Amino acid sequence: MFQDVVDLRDFYQTPLGAVTRQLLRARIRELWPDVRGQSVLGLGFATPYLRQFRGEAERVLAIMPAGQGVVHWPYNEPNLTTLADETELPLQDYSVDRILMVHGLEGSDHPGDMLREAWRVLAGGGRLLLVVPNRRSLWAQLERSPFGFGQPYSAGQLSRLLRNHSFTPLRTARCLFFLPFRNRSWLRAAPGWEKFARHAMPGLAGAIIIEATKQVYGAMPVKSRRRRLPAMVPVTTAATRGLSRDASSE
């Protein structure tokens, strides 16, 4: 189940959320130092990490899952976000060069279908950067951040899931080594702790980041399973039908 978009937005407006965004954004930038001339799609709730690409990429847009909700982004500018079923993206095949998926896979009830859709819309040789909660971290155990919701993963589990859906993992990184405490003194020390713990205690990372490329040769693209949407029936009609069925069974 996805976390509500308002809760996600509110988290990033807190001091803990601001430090989380700062550290994770820098790590993402290390992995993607140059996106000039490319189209970048944020999938899930990736907008806190997309702004750094806007002046460089050819195009930046964001899709938020229907089960999560959507908010306007960027603030006080023309909207670049839309709401869609994460297993049926409103994009053409091979239409984007890079996908940044944050607060997405761990909340989906159909992670395999979500990855198939990502595969479908990625151009040949396109890159997927996947950010998910680390199953072994304290972040995954505490519900004080979005990394404490949904299904956490280990690096091995993520790699197998990607390979099973026609992606080739390229490299694995980790981030959020500081513990998710709200104490302001601790948050001021978080960047220094991050640098130290990245090498000394890699298992403490709150987030696992895996970059993967779209496997084209030997792959068999599979369309996402299209689920029939429930019919919308007026409440009065539905209630009447329910009463009729109850009466007929007595």
Side-chain angles (χ1 to χ4, degrees):
M1 176 180 290
F2 289 105
Q3 191 174 6
D4 188 85
V5 70
V6 175
D7 294 333
L8 290 164
R9 181 197 61 190
D10 290 349
F11 168 75
Y12 282 104
Q13 294 175 349
T14 66
L16 176 59
V19 174
T20 300
R21 180 177 59 243
Q22 172 193 343
L23 296 176
L24 190 50
R25 181 186 287 171
R27 198 73 171 111
I28 289 170
R29 194 57 166 171
E30 287 179 19
L31 296 169
W32 281 359
D34 185 1
V35 296
R36 285 176 294 181
Q38 299 191 320
S39 54
V40 179
L41 167 66
L43 191 54
F45 190 75
T47 51
Y49 307 101
L50 288 178
R51 182 175 293 276
Q52 59 188 328
F53 300 124
R54 288 194 62 207
E56 181 181 325
E58 177 185 8
R59 178 171 52 125
V60 175
L61 66 156
I63 295 179
M64 299 184 183
Q68 170 186 285
V70 65
V71 291
H72 184 105
W73 179 84
Y75 181 67
N76 277 346
E77 296 184 48
N79 185 46
L80 297 176
T81 64
T82 189
L83 187 71
D85 188 319
E86 76 274 13
T87 67
E88 297 181 13
L89 301 179
L91 298 172
Q92 296 180 345
D93 297 356
Y94 308 99
S95 57
V96 296
D97 300 302
R98 303 202 178 198
I99 295 178
L100 174 61
M101 193 184 299
V102 187
H103 304 312
L105 191 73
E106 68 270 22
S108 177
D109 292 331
H110 307 279
D113 289 347
M114 191 174 187
L115 287 176
R116 289 190 188 99
E117 274 295 271
W119 190 98
R120 179 183 67 80
V121 303
L122 269 177
R127 300 292 180 91
L128 167 68
L129 197 63
L130 189 57
V131 181
V132 298
N134 178 9
R135 182 168 59 88
R136 298 186 177 94
S137 74
L138 184 62
W139 287 77
Q141 313 306 318
L142 300 176
E143 295 185 0
R144 60 184 58 175
S145 84
F147 294 94
F149 290 83
Q151 173 62 52
Y153 291 87
S154 68
Q157 289 172 328
L158 271 182
S159 294
R160 288 190 293 273
L161 185 62
L162 287 165
R163 289 192 180 96
N164 288 341
H165 293 88
S166 301
F167 285 96
T168 300
L170 298 176
R171 51 183 170 170
T172 302
R174 290 171 173 81
C175 192
L176 305 183
F177 292 91
F178 78 102
L179 300 179
F181 301 144
R182 300 189 180 102
N183 180 276
R184 290 186 178 272
S185 297
W186 171 249
L187 292 176
R188 284 194 294 269
W193 177 258
E194 189 83 4
K195 293 178 182 178
F196 167 76
R198 181 190 295 189
H199 304 288
M201 293 174 281
L204 288 179
I208 295 174
I209 309 171
I210 291 189
E211 183 183 28
T213 187
K214 177 175 180 174
Q215 179 184 319
V216 177
Y217 300 104
M220 296 181 63
V222 179
K223 287 187 177 181
S224 296
R225 173 169 50 83
R226 295 187 176 272
R227 303 189 301 281
R228 185 182 298 275
L229 295 176
M232 303 303 291
V233 181
V235 174
T236 52
T237 304
T240 301
R241 289 178 180 173
L243 289 173
S244 299
R245 284 196 298 271
D246 292 342
S248 64
S249 63
E250 291 179 353

